[in-house]
């Protein structure tokens, strides 16, 4: 029974998010109210907020990767960069057949058209950068807060991952087939982490 309840909760969560995204795409983020979303999704407003604590979460939920958790949970002898490379390598290699490209690109367009959502994305990235800096500092010197080295490294890593995502989205927007875009992303991940690990003098170049 617990499994059934969880599936129903996930279905409800997905339906609310899909309805919200459709309304935002049709009318603009600012023009749509939470009450309208709840009514269109067939749920009470309190139910909507139990899944999404604020209106922007309907779009921004999942925007922030938990890179700090990946670094903190790495195996013995695994460097932070190696753990992050393995994570993004696995994402790039994952089966993309279930990825809803239309919904993904709609979400990108909704965010791009809203200053409030763009500010939310930047805030999420800033939080992620700080959390990653703390995890990198702990990996080097347990018990110590992040210094300049950890902050610079965190900034480099988060900017790199953002660039990987933006490049992937740009390929999809240009009409690149999903499978081809996935293969290109796999190569991009390797190049990006080579550059992070070895610097811009890496033999693979920067093209």
């Amino acid at each position: 029974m617990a499994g059934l309840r969880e599936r129903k909760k996930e279905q409800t969560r997905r339906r609310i998010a899909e309805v919200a995204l459709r309304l935002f795409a049709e009318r603009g983020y600012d023009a749509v109210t939470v009450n309208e979303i709840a009514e269109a999704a067939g749920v009470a407003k309190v139910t909507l907020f139990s899944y999404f604590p604020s209106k922007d979460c309907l779009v921004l939920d999942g925007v922030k990767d938990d890179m700090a958790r990946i670094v903190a949970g790495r195996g013995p002898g695994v460097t932070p960069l190696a753990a992050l490379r393995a994570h993004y390598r696995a994402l790039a290699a994952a089966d993309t057949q279930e990825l809803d490209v239309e919904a993904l690109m709609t979400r990108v367009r909704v965010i791009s058209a809203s200053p409030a959502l763009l500010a939310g994305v930047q805030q999420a990235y800033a939080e992620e950068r700080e959390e990653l800096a703390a995890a990198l500092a702990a990996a080097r010197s347990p018990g110590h807060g992040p210094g300049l080295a950890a902050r610079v490294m965190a900034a480099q890593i988060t900017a790199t991952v953002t660039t990987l995502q933006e490049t992937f989205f740009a390929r999809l927007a240009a009409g690149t087939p999903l499978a081809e875009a996935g293969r290109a992303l796999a190569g991009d991940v390797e190049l990006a982490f080579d550059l992070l690990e070895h610097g811009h003098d890496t033999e693979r170049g920067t093209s």
Side-chain angles (χ1 to χ4, degrees):
M1 291 297 294
L4 178 60
R5 285 196 298 270
E6 290 303 315
R7 286 196 297 272
K8 287 185 176 180
K9 288 174 63 176
E10 181 56 33
Q11 289 170 357
T12 300
R13 179 185 181 86
R14 187 180 303 115
R15 183 174 73 255
I16 294 170
E18 289 173 351
V19 167
L21 187 61
R22 173 175 57 80
L23 293 175
F24 292 152
E26 291 173 353
R27 295 164 48 197
Y29 174 77
D30 292 332
V32 179
T33 68
V34 172
N35 284 336
E36 290 173 317
I37 296 168
E39 182 178 354
V43 299
K45 184 177 177 180
V46 66
T47 300
L48 184 151
F49 280 128
S50 71
Y51 288 97
F52 300 96
S54 62
K55 181 182 174 182
D56 61 354
C57 288
L58 287 157
V59 184
L60 300 182
D61 190 45
V63 164
K64 185 173 74 171
D65 288 339
D66 198 350
M67 286 190 268
R69 179 188 58 79
I70 295 166
V71 169
R74 71 194 188 284
V78 178
T79 67
L81 272 181
L84 290 166
R85 183 198 288 261
H87 172 76
Y88 288 102
R89 177 186 285 159
L91 285 182
D95 185 5
T96 57
Q97 295 306 308
E98 296 183 2
L99 182 64
D100 189 336
V101 175
E102 183 177 352
L104 177 63
M105 298 313 298
T106 298
R107 187 184 188 197
V108 171
R109 288 192 294 271
V110 167
I111 292 173
S112 299
S114 169
L117 290 176
L118 286 172
V121 169
Q122 292 306 312
Q123 178 62 33
Y125 286 169
E127 292 172 359
E128 182 174 36
R129 189 167 59 248
E130 285 301 306
E131 291 165 4
L132 178 58
L136 292 171
R140 176 175 293 184
S141 301
H144 289 76
L148 179 61
R151 293 183 185 279
V152 169
M153 193 62 187
Q156 291 175 333
I157 293 170
T158 53
T160 295
V161 170
T162 298
T163 302
L164 288 172
Q165 294 169 338
E166 291 174 344
T167 302
F168 179 66
F169 295 153
R171 289 194 181 103
L172 293 178
T176 302
L178 181 57
E180 182 179 338
R183 288 192 294 271
L185 176 61
D188 291 345
V189 167
E190 300 304 330
L191 173 58
F193 278 90
D194 280 350
L195 291 170
L196 283 171
E197 187 170 358
H198 304 296
H200 293 278
D201 292 332
T202 178
E203 293 181 1
R204 297 188 64 173
T206 59
S207 61

